[in-house]
Amino acid sequence: MKKNRNLLVVVFLFLTAAALVCLVGVLTVKDKEDSSLKIKKEKISYSKKNYHLADNEALYETQDNKSVETMYLTVRRGSDSENTNHSWSEINGLSVYDYEKMGVNRYKILGLLQVGNENGPQSGKLGYGEVVPNATVQVRGQTSSRNSQKNFKIEIKDGKGSWYGQKTINLNKHQTESLRFRNKLSYALLEKIPQVLSLRTQFVHLYVKDTTGDKPNEFVDYGLYTQVEQLNKAGMRAHNLDSSGQLYKVNFFEFMDENNVIKLTSDPDYDKEKFEEMLEIKGSSDHSKLIKLIKKVNDSSSSFYGILEKYFDIDNLSYWMAFQILMGNHDTQNRNMYLYSPLNSQRWYIIPWDNDASLFETEYEIKGFTGSSDWESGISNYWGNVLFRRALKTKEFRKALDNAIEDLRKNYLTDNRITELSNELAATVEPYITETPDSTYLGVSMANHEKILKALPSEVESNYQKYFESYQKPMPFFIATPEKTSDKLKLSWESAYDFNSEDITYTVEVSKKYDFSDTILKQENLKLTSINMDMLEEGQYFIRVKATNTSGKSQYAFDYYVADNLGKVSGVKSFYVNSDKTVSEDKYEE
């Protein structure tokens, strides 16, 4: 019995040990499974963030802010079929608005573009040894096309090579900005910011030989230009973007389609010309994704932050907006950007375009010109755009924007970085802006040029402070065109929004002068958004409306009047009372 008992003990111990081994094995396997699950979860979490854009950093490795490339452009008449049978004086003598009045496309001219140094075209570079045109040339830009010094768009013909892989060369003069490097400064800063794409830029010294003019054999010095990379299909590929995706250059678009022109190409009413007045088509011509986006952005029945998360990259959107706010680049509410979406993705991204209006406050002060309205600083600058307004109404996006503002100011748009980079660029452009032809159109003395240069870092700090202050004010609103009601004139305006939900009162004024030195009516502390006044006599009048919250912070209306030699007069709408007592809104072009 004892022997049997000992045997049973041995068997029991053996089975217990085996069980323990199995248990350890099971636990080990379980740990491995848990570990693999954790890894899998991390991969899933990471893949959700994999939608962020990543620029091709290698593109900027050879960029040198101190370098200036020399280009030689020989222009000559072409053919009517190519719209190139024009003289150089015709190309330079017309603005975009002239073409619109004539109802014709912008004129082009044939060009032979050659790249070299100050001694002439160089072997191995574009156009060397060629004698026939390799490109077409036209004036580019909108408002800038009115300037004496034009911007040019040079398109290299197929089979004629390229310049650093680019076949579209944008030469920007930036005549109305005295530093002549603001655009390059912005793109150089953007190169280091991972949430937003930049573009390649290059200073160019241009010489032009006009075979259609009175000096057909002479290259004339056209001064300094900034070349900015064209974001087309080739540009998309260069920046690791999907060239089969959607890409639109925003001309005037507030994420709504009031006139119903954003249509599919298959729609019988599709009008490409009207479409491109809002959005130039640079990528896929399948607009179904864009139409869906517009509907989603304007769908007030859905949680908007959910729409933002699903259809946008919030990091991209918040950093783009934060950069423009800190740089004071006001003209970005509804244009001067690209909209991009990769193929087979529902997500959209904003890519900056045209930054030459950045950090302009000191220059405007020196010139005695009001370049922007009061609301064009901080978040109120974006309040007129449906996408931006709805985003700003969500606390989650405001937090993301706060974080982006702080990060950019602390790490990318520091005083030292702005000073260092702007001084480097200023030293590069100085030999050109102090000589003709650029010195003729500089617009300020070199002493004031130095003041503007030194003020750039303080302007970034000022814009940083204005950002936080803008949350404390009511948001801007629109004034309606006054209308005749019986024997009275009805004045009305939209309600203003306040982030702190404070009560708002309004002050309305009517005057015969835009500076309100000849006031006809003034009413304050109005809680309603309309009043009636006695009918006015025939003539031009001005109405101004201001919203004030209970904290005493005020904001004028979106409307503004552009006065000669003064600039924008904030919160003012001009209108005419006609002889029959009807009222007409004053329309004007900037």
Side-chain angles (χ1 to χ4, degrees), residues 326-391:
L326 289 173
M327 295 295 287
N329 191 14
H330 304 144
D331 198 13
T332 49
Q333 311 99 332
N334 48 38
R335 62 178 181 173
N336 292 331
M337 68 188 86
Y338 283 91
L339 281 178
Y340 162 70
S341 180
L343 187 67
N344 300 323
S345 170
Q346 61 187 355
R347 204 173 297 277
W348 292 81
Y349 305 84
I350 293 182
I351 300 172
W353 178 254
D354 199 357
N355 308 288
D356 62 340
S358 301
L359 304 179
F360 240 97
E361 186 175 346
T362 305
E363 180 161 343
Y364 280 142
E365 288 176 359
I366 287 173
K367 291 180 176 179
F369 188 77
T370 307
S372 58
S373 296
D374 292 342
W375 54 263
E376 289 182 289
S377 60
I379 59 171
S380 51
N381 187 54
Y382 297 96
W383 199 248
N385 188 302
V386 175
L387 169 65
F388 304 145
R389 180 171 67 249
R390 295 198 68 191

Side-chain angles (χ1 to χ4, degrees), residues 451-468:
K451 290 180 182 178
I452 295 167
L453 175 64
K454 289 182 177 179
L456 296 182
S458 64
E459 287 196 28
V460 176
E461 176 60 24
S462 175
N463 293 330
Y464 173 79
Q465 298 296 336
K466 288 177 182 177
Y467 165 73
F468 294 102

Side-chain angles (χ1 to χ4, degrees), residues 251-269:
N251 288 330
F252 188 92
F253 181 55
E254 295 179 328
F255 282 86
M256 54 185 175
D257 183 21
E258 291 181 311
N259 297 321
N260 195 26
V261 299
I262 306 298
K263 299 178 181 291
L264 297 175
T265 55
S266 58
D267 192 306
D269 296 325

Side-chain angles (χ1 to χ4, degrees), residues 94-105 146 589:
L94 296 172
S95 72
V96 172
Y97 305 98
D98 294 321
Y99 290 121
E100 289 176 357
K101 290 176 183 177
M102 294 187 293
V104 299
N105 294 326
R146 289 170 165 165
E589 292 180 348

Side-chain angles (χ1 to χ4, degrees), residues 276-338:
E276 292 200 321
E277 288 178 1
M278 298 174 68
L279 296 163
E280 283 185 42
I281 305 160
K282 299 294 186 181
S284 170
S285 58
D286 179 2
H287 309 310
S288 56
K289 194 193 303 186
L290 175 66
I291 293 170
K292 179 181 179 181
L293 177 70
I294 296 172
K295 289 180 180 178
K296 290 292 183 181
V297 168
N298 288 273
D299 180 8
S300 58
S301 65
S302 301
S303 165
F304 195 70
Y305 190 71
I307 292 173
L308 275 182
E309 283 193 309
K310 186 174 182 179
Y311 293 99
F312 292 91
D313 177 358
I314 294 174
D315 280 357
N316 168 260
L317 183 59
S318 59
Y319 272 81
W320 170 82
M321 185 180 290
F323 180 82
Q324 306 299 356
I325 288 172
L326 289 173
M327 295 295 287
N329 191 14
H330 304 144
D331 198 13
T332 49
Q333 311 99 332
N334 48 38
R335 62 178 181 173
N336 292 331
M337 68 188 86
Y338 283 91

Side-chain angles (χ1 to χ4, degrees), residues 5-69:
R5 194 181 301 119
N6 290 337
L7 180 62
L8 288 172
V9 171
V10 170
V11 171
F12 174 76
L13 291 173
F14 175 80
L15 291 174
T16 302
L20 288 171
V21 169
C22 290
L23 181 59
V24 170
V26 169
L27 289 174
T28 302
V29 170
K30 185 67 170 66
D31 285 343
K32 288 181 179 178
E33 287 175 351
D34 285 347
S35 176
S36 65
L37 284 172
K38 288 177 182 176
I39 292 171
K40 188 175 181 182
K41 286 179 181 178
E42 288 172 2
K43 285 183 177 179
I44 291 173
S45 177
Y46 179 79
S47 68
K48 286 183 178 179
K49 296 296 183 183
N50 201 30
Y51 54 74
H52 296 312
L53 292 184
D55 205 348
N56 182 2
E57 295 180 4
L59 291 175
Y60 311 113
E61 290 177 356
T62 58
Q63 292 246 122
D64 181 2
N65 295 322
K66 299 177 182 178
S67 72
V68 180
E69 290 245 7

Side-chain angles (χ1 to χ4, degrees), residues 165-167 200 229-230 232-239 243:
Q166 302 172 61
K167 296 180 72 68
R200 286 175 286 179
E229 181 181 12
Q230 180 76 24
N232 47 24
K233 287 185 180 291
M236 292 168 78
R237 289 190 292 269
H239 287 268
S243 61

Side-chain angles (χ1 to χ4, degrees), residues 472-474 498 502-503 546-555:
Q472 306 307 313
K473 299 179 180 180
D498 189 87
E502 295 187 10
D503 290 335
K546 179 175 66 175
T548 305
N549 61 24
T550 52
S551 297
K553 302 293 185 180
S554 297
Q555 181 78 264

